[in-house]
Amino acid sequence: MQSVYYIDHTFVKENSTQYILSIRYSTDGLSFCIHDHNNKLLVFFYQPFSLDTKDAVIAKVKKIIVDEEVLNLKYKKVYILPCNKEKILLPAHAFSKEYLTDMYRVCLQPEKNDTLLYRKVKIMESYIVEALPRNFVNFLSTRYQSLCIVNSAYPFIVNSLSNILFNTNHLFIDIHDQYFDLLLTRSNEVLLFNSFTYGSVPDIIYYALNCMKQCNVSKENLQTTLSGNLVNDPTFRDKIGQYIPNITIADYPPLSLLVKQHELNTSCFIHLLSMHKCE
């Protein structure tokens, strides 16, 4: 995808303290959006890049934040959404600040200079926990006063669970550059949430079918919602549709009209655009 920079004519820099800023970054690019108090989209920005390491991505994100004028304004609220595969979900009844590091290390190993960040997912009574470099968290904290840093899986989970149907099995898949998040539900019960690295479409299909098998979910009465990378590719949809039924694509068509790029895969930004409504 090409770079995009849309600014609505009603955007006023001097009114930034009334606006909400959301920033999403991953190995394949950075995007941000600004909404007013009426949820109107005032600004949308996307800059693609291709980086392999966490350090390189963070260095790029810092540079864009420093260089981009509108990212240096004061805002009512600022959300930062890292797209990191490494995170865990802890049930609220098991969550403990005192033992958080120990619980995280059961599944993942944080680096020496990392700090753990957590956010409650109220809709499923769980906490999402991830590790980020302490100096990066400090960098963001000094620039933005009303700051919330939470993994991009947070709006994915909230949006998904807000759209489930009772008496129905539902498979949600959000595809990123190098990994995808998967959420499997039965009625209002969360059966499984996990993240998987993939190298090809068959990898996504394999993991999805395996998760369904482990949770005893049949293809009958299954609704599937896909979002993120690849979903605007007809070949991808045809291939995954051979194995997984009843597929719906979560996207935001009005964005293409606003930015006047009809080839833009708006599904990549759907959770960024809705983050401010997930609280």
Side-chain angles (χ1 to χ4, degrees):
M1 288 188 287
Q2 297 179 341
S3 297
V4 177
Y5 205 157
Y6 163 79
I7 302 180
D8 188 83
H9 72 278
T10 61
F11 174 73
V12 179
K13 295 178 185 177
E14 290 74 19
N15 293 340
S16 65
T17 55
Q18 302 174 30
Y19 302 153
I20 299 174
L21 168 66
S22 303
I23 303 173
R24 172 190 181 272
Y25 70 86
S26 62
T27 53
D28 62 348
L30 179 144
S31 52
F32 67 79
C33 60
I34 299 172
H35 289 86
D36 68 10
H37 64 285
N38 291 318
N39 291 328
K40 180 180 181 180
L41 180 62
L42 300 178
V43 177
F44 177 79
F45 170 96
Y46 171 61
Q47 181 176 322
F49 49 73
S50 180
L51 300 170
D52 294 326
T53 67
K54 182 168 65 175
D55 289 344
V57 171
I58 288 177
K60 184 69 172 179
V61 171
K62 283 183 175 181
K63 186 177 188 311
I64 294 174
I65 289 177
V66 170
D67 293 346
E68 191 56 51
E69 182 182 5
V70 298
L71 296 182
N72 289 278
L73 303 175
K74 295 184 182 298
Y75 290 92
K76 180 180 179 180
K77 186 75 177 180
V78 177
Y79 295 101
I80 307 291
L81 304 178
C83 297
N84 291 332
K85 175 180 177 290
E86 290 75 22
K87 69 265 185 183
I88 63 172
L89 273 180
L90 286 174
H93 66 82
F95 179 83
S96 167
K97 293 181 183 179
E98 182 179 359
Y99 299 107
L100 186 59
T101 300
D102 294 331
M103 289 187 286
Y104 187 85
R105 283 177 175 163
V106 171
C107 303
L108 298 167
Q109 187 61 42
E111 296 183 12
K112 181 180 178 181
N113 294 318
D114 281 351
T115 186
L116 293 182
L117 304 174
Y118 57 87
R119 189 76 172 179
K120 188 173 185 179
V121 188
K122 296 178 182 178
I123 197 169
M124 64 180 297
E125 282 299 308
S126 297
Y127 283 84
I128 187 166
V129 186
E130 68 179 326
L132 287 179
R134 184 174 290 103
N135 62 358
F136 181 52
V137 174
N138 291 339
F139 167 83
L140 295 171
S141 300
T142 57
R143 302 189 76 87
Y144 301 118
Q145 293 182 345
S146 184
L147 175 67
C148 172
I149 306 173
V150 62
N151 192 278
S152 63
Y154 176 86
F156 165 62
I157 293 171
V158 173
N159 290 333
S160 298
L161 295 182
S162 299
N163 289 285
I164 57 176
L165 302 173
F166 289 97
N167 301 317
T168 303
N169 299 320
H170 212 135
L171 172 66
F172 299 93
I173 298 177
D174 190 36
I175 306 171
H176 297 271
D177 180 36
Q178 300 175 1
Y179 75 95
F180 66 94
D181 292 327
L182 183 149
L183 178 68
L184 192 58
T185 68
R186 177 177 293 126
S187 290
N188 62 341
E189 177 189 4
V190 175
L191 301 177
L192 180 146
F193 172 81
N194 209 342
S195 303
F196 303 93
T197 302
Y198 73 94
S200 62
V201 174
D203 291 342
I204 298 175
I205 296 170
Y206 168 80
Y207 285 120
L209 293 177
N210 191 44
C211 289
M212 291 167 57
K213 181 178 179 181
Q214 290 181 8
C215 295
N216 296 315
V217 172
S218 69
K219 295 181 183 179
E220 297 180 7
N221 199 29
L222 177 71
Q223 298 294 319
T224 305
T225 302
L226 305 178
S227 58
N229 293 14
L230 306 177
V231 301
N232 63 333
D233 183 350
T235 303
F236 166 76
R237 295 199 299 267
D238 290 344
K239 191 161 190 176
I240 200 168
Q242 295 174 19
Y243 300 90
I244 299 173
N246 302 324
I247 293 176
T248 299
I249 304 298
D251 59 5
Y252 188 70
L255 181 61
S256 297
L257 298 176
L258 285 175
V259 302
K260 298 180 180 179
Q261 284 199 22
H262 296 287
E263 72 279 5
L264 183 70
N265 180 11
T266 62
S267 187
C268 292
F269 313 107
I270 189 167
H271 301 304
L272 165 75
L273 292 166
S274 65
M275 178 61 214
H276 67 291
K277 296 186 289 186
C278 290
E279 297 290 270

